Amino acid sequence: MKKLTACLVAGISLFALVERTSAIETVIVGEVETQRILIAPPQNPLAKTIRAGLRDSIAAAGQNTRAQTDAQQLYYFYGSRKFEPLWLSETQDGTIAFSDKAQGVVALFEQAHLQGLNPDDYLTDALDVSAAATDPQALAALESAFSAAMLRYAQDAYSGRLDPRSVSGYIDVDIKRVNERELLTALSASNDPASILLDFHPTHREFVALRELLAAHYNGEIKAQVTIGDGGLLRAGMTDPRVPDLRERLGLTAPEDETLANLYDPELVAAMRSFQGDMNLTVDGVVGPATIAALNGANGASIGDIVANMERWRWMPEDLGDFNVFVNVPEFALEVNKYGKTFWDTKVIVGSERRQTPIFSDRIRHVVTNPYWNLPPTILREDIMPRVAANPHYLASQNMELLYGGRVVDPLMVDWQQVNPAQFRVRQRPGRSNALGQVKFLFPNKHDVYLHDTNSPGLFARSMRALSSGCVRVENPFEFAEALLEFEPNFTVASLENSLGPNERWFSMDNRVPVHLAYFTLRISEDGTVRSYGDLYGHHAKIVSMLGFE
């Protein structure tokens, strides 16, 4: 104990029990209940050094940054225990080292890559015990750095390493925050803090499946496969230099006649149609972007692909809802899930690259039949108003009407050379030409997007369905309504169908159903089948790069 006691006040062990005081106390100021922070004074030189080091960390962190928040949380936590250290102990030969429970956390950090995290984010030079030696200031810095590393691991495991909004303005996802003060209290009281940290990883079935797939990659269980290059659409009878790779990918032998090596022949077309069916793609034998994405990802994709999709699962709500609607934008698919199982699904059309479908979660609150289409500001500004100014008859030709101050006005009576078009709104009347079709499903949000029917059902036959202005068009809207309203006591699908006509009708749901507009380029079905989808908006490629994968 000589080395350790030399770093402290004589006779005081590093883990000596001291009376703790709460860092937070509830008080009444006037008639208002509030909280104040209580900081207990340090009782020995090492504790004083820890306090000074934590103060320096706060001062060094930028204003309103994650580093500042972490440093403040650590200061309050250590202040509540008189700045006594937690994670260091002394071996029989007098060497200062991490305690046994800290060693368990170090082992967890070393295996962070198996969880889709980066060990180097936690095992930094600041955790080098041998470098700290017997220097009290260095040991104090190590102590606080270890606690900070644990907090960072928990936060990364819980909500991911990236700020979703830094990837794209179309990703509207709040960062879920760990209660760091409660976490530090639990970690300090636990004999197995590593198990507490592990509990912060998502438990969604597909996240767990991706983690297992990642482990298979690291264990060498996934064999490298041929990658199919991008190119134009490949149809039966065409020749293409990618054909040999397609044959290899689908397990077919090359033709004996070498002059036919690049021919997309009937045998390969049949194999491709079978593959498309297995992947829930449009079964047409045509090799396009969606089929190429599925071919390149169906055997597990790369480690970077897997980790990036795991990152996006961390962005999802911890509880998706026992009964929920899940739209996967790259998949062009909607599913209704009940108690973790998909019991209904359909095709959807999503936003184009220019007008992307935003990624966020909300709750479906209303169903509207015979809807007006209130044109979003972007479409109004970029598409409609320039046409109206050039030809005031345009609105009538589109079954649309002009509104000013909430009242319908005649566009022929407006001097378009003098007015500001932004003062007007435009809506399309109910009817067969209405872009929303006969029904829409509303979850009021700042993006002004929702799920709805369409007056162009033929578009669902396409494989690539990024065609809308941001909203999600549903192929079978009344079948979707039947699935959606399973637990709705106020109205039924029959109520919706009986309301069809010339007038808009609103139905408010008693049970507001969670809806998730998500962006996953890898999905894993319950039977373990891995499906890969194209990166429509480039979100995936950017996340892969930001996470450090090439």
Side-chain angles (χ1 to χ4, degrees):
M1 296 293 290
K2 290 181 180 179
K3 290 184 180 179
L4 187 56
T5 54
C7 298
L8 306 171
V9 174
I12 298 179
S13 165
L14 185 61
F15 285 96
L17 295 177
V18 295
E19 180 182 358
R20 295 186 184 181
T21 182
S22 174
I24 302 291
E25 178 183 62
T26 300
V27 296
I28 303 295
V29 179
E31 297 181 354
V32 179
E33 183 179 286
T34 186
Q35 293 181 327
R36 66 180 180 184
I37 298 170
L38 300 179
I39 302 296
Q43 303 296 304
N44 57 64
L46 182 55
K48 291 179 181 178
T49 303
I50 289 176
R51 181 181 64 179
L54 290 171
R55 284 176 174 172
D56 291 343
S57 296
I58 294 174
Q63 292 293 319
N64 301 317
T65 63
R66 174 175 174 175
Q68 183 189 58
T69 300
D70 292 345
Q72 289 173 337
Q73 291 287 349
L74 286 172
Y75 185 84
Y76 299 150
F77 173 74
Y78 278 97
S80 73
R81 51 177 286 111
K82 302 179 181 179
F83 297 94
E84 289 293 328
L86 276 169
W87 310 116
L88 299 174
S89 65
E90 189 172 17
T91 62
Q92 291 183 348
D93 64 1
T95 302
I96 298 173
F98 285 125
S99 64
D100 290 341
K101 62 181 184 179
Q103 290 284 5
V105 173
V106 171
L108 179 68
F109 290 167
E110 291 172 342
Q111 298 296 311
H113 62 290
L114 297 178
Q115 302 289 340
L117 303 178
N118 184 359
D120 292 340
D121 288 341
Y122 320 107
L123 293 173
T124 64
D125 292 341
L127 301 191
D128 188 345
V129 179
S130 60
T134 59
D135 179 1
Q137 188 169 0
L139 290 173
L142 187 151
E143 173 73 25
S144 62
F146 193 85
S147 290
M150 296 173 78
L151 293 179
R152 180 172 187 180
Y153 182 96
Q155 187 66 58
D156 289 352
Y158 186 50
S159 65
R161 288 182 275 168
L162 306 178
D163 180 344
R165 290 185 175 90
S166 70
V167 176
S168 171
Y170 285 100
I171 302 179
D172 184 15
V173 178
D174 291 327
I175 298 176
K176 299 176 292 185
R177 287 295 180 190
V178 171
N179 187 320
E180 296 182 339
R181 183 171 62 85
E182 290 184 1
L183 174 57
L184 283 169
T185 300
L187 291 170
S188 64
S190 174
N191 290 324
D192 186 11
S195 65
I196 294 177
L197 295 177
L198 275 173
D199 286 342
F200 280 91
H201 292 287
T203 58
H204 303 305
R205 182 192 64 78
E206 288 194 68
F207 177 88
V208 174
L210 285 167
R211 182 168 58 193
E212 292 172 352
L213 183 64
L214 181 64
H217 268 275
Y218 279 119
N219 292 336
E221 299 171 18
I222 303 295
K223 295 181 180 179
Q225 64 181 25
V226 61
T227 299
I228 310 302
D230 294 328
L233 293 179
L234 180 57
R235 303 178 187 275
M238 296 175 65
T239 59
D240 192 287
R242 296 172 294 172
V243 166
D245 288 339
L246 289 171
R247 286 200 180 95
E248 180 181 345
R249 177 66 184 81
L250 297 179
L252 302 180
T253 57
E256 293 183 2
D257 186 347
E258 294 184 359
T259 64
L260 302 178
N262 291 344
L263 176 65
Y264 190 35
D265 60 24
E267 181 186 24
L268 183 53
V269 172
M272 187 62 65
R273 291 175 62 88
S274 176
F275 173 82
Q276 289 172 329
D278 291 342
M279 293 292 109
N280 290 339
L281 298 170
T282 300
V283 181
D284 56 10
V286 177
V287 181
T291 297
I292 290 174
L295 287 163
N296 288 337
N299 198 33
S302 69
I303 287 177
D305 290 330
I306 297 169
V307 172
N309 278 274
M310 291 174 71
E311 175 80 5
R312 293 194 288 277
W313 272 110
R314 300 184 201 275
W315 299 349
M316 296 296 293
E318 191 172 1
D319 181 5
L320 300 180
D322 290 337
F323 185 77
N324 68 77
V325 175
F326 192 97
V327 177
N328 188 32
V329 172
E331 190 177 356
F332 307 118
L334 176 153
E335 59 194 38
V336 182
N337 300 303
K338 182 168 58 176
Y339 307 123
K341 303 284 186 179
T342 298
F343 75 94
W344 189 86
D345 60 78
T346 191
K347 296 178 182 178
V348 297
I349 292 170
V350 301
S352 65
E353 185 175 1
R354 178 169 171 247
R355 291 176 177 164
Q356 301 176 14
T357 296
I359 307 304
F360 67 106
S361 295
D362 211 305
R363 288 181 178 270
I364 300 176
R365 305 180 186 187
H366 311 285
V367 182
V368 182
T369 56
N370 317 309
Y372 280 97
W373 179 32
N374 295 289
L375 278 72
T378 300
I379 297 177
L380 196 61
R381 182 179 63 254
E382 297 180 1
D383 298 343
I384 302 301
M385 298 313 291
R387 296 179 182 179
V388 174
N391 176 19
H393 294 284
Y394 173 78
L395 292 181
S397 72
Q398 302 299 312
N399 194 31
M400 294 177 180
E401 55 190 20
L402 185 71
L403 294 96
Y404 179 81
R407 303 179 65 177
V408 177
V409 297
D410 186 346
L412 294 173
M413 304 301 293
V414 177
D415 184 351
W416 292 104
Q417 301 300 318
Q418 301 296 323
V419 302
N420 179 2
Q423 296 176 316
F424 296 87
R425 291 194 303 111
V426 173
R427 66 183 183 184
Q428 189 175 39
R429 301 181 189 93
R432 292 186 177 181
S433 64
N434 189 284
L436 306 186
Q438 293 181 300
V439 61
K440 65 179 178 179
F441 307 86
L442 296 183
F443 36 103
N445 58 84
K446 66 183 182 183
H447 307 286
D448 198 25
V449 301
Y450 35 86
L451 310 176
H452 65 83
D453 186 15
T454 179
N455 60 357
S456 302
L459 296 177
F460 288 106
R462 299 186 182 184
S463 294
M464 201 293 190
R465 295 191 294 277
L467 305 169
S468 82
S469 295
C471 286
V472 178
R473 306 176 195 172
V474 182
E475 182 178 28
N476 300 298
F478 285 97
E479 290 181 22
F480 169 55
E482 185 172 7
L484 176 70
L485 301 178
E486 178 171 350
F487 300 107
E488 180 54 47
N490 289 334
F491 58 97
T492 64
V493 175
S495 304
L496 302 178
E497 293 175 336
N498 289 336
S499 73
L500 295 179
N503 299 316
E504 185 177 76
R505 288 283 305 276
W506 282 63
F507 298 82
S508 295
M509 297 177 63
D510 186 57
N511 294 318
R512 297 178 175 182
V513 177
V515 57
H516 309 286
L517 305 186
Y519 195 93
F520 292 103
T521 55
L522 287 179
R523 302 291 304 275
I524 302 182
S525 60
E526 292 187 20
D527 65 4
T529 300
V530 180
R531 295 185 172 91
S532 180
Y533 304 99
D535 185 14
L536 286 181
Y537 306 146
H539 297 342
H540 177 72
K542 188 169 182 180
I543 293 169
V544 168
S545 176
M546 292 174 72
L547 290 174
F549 295 96
E550 294 298 333

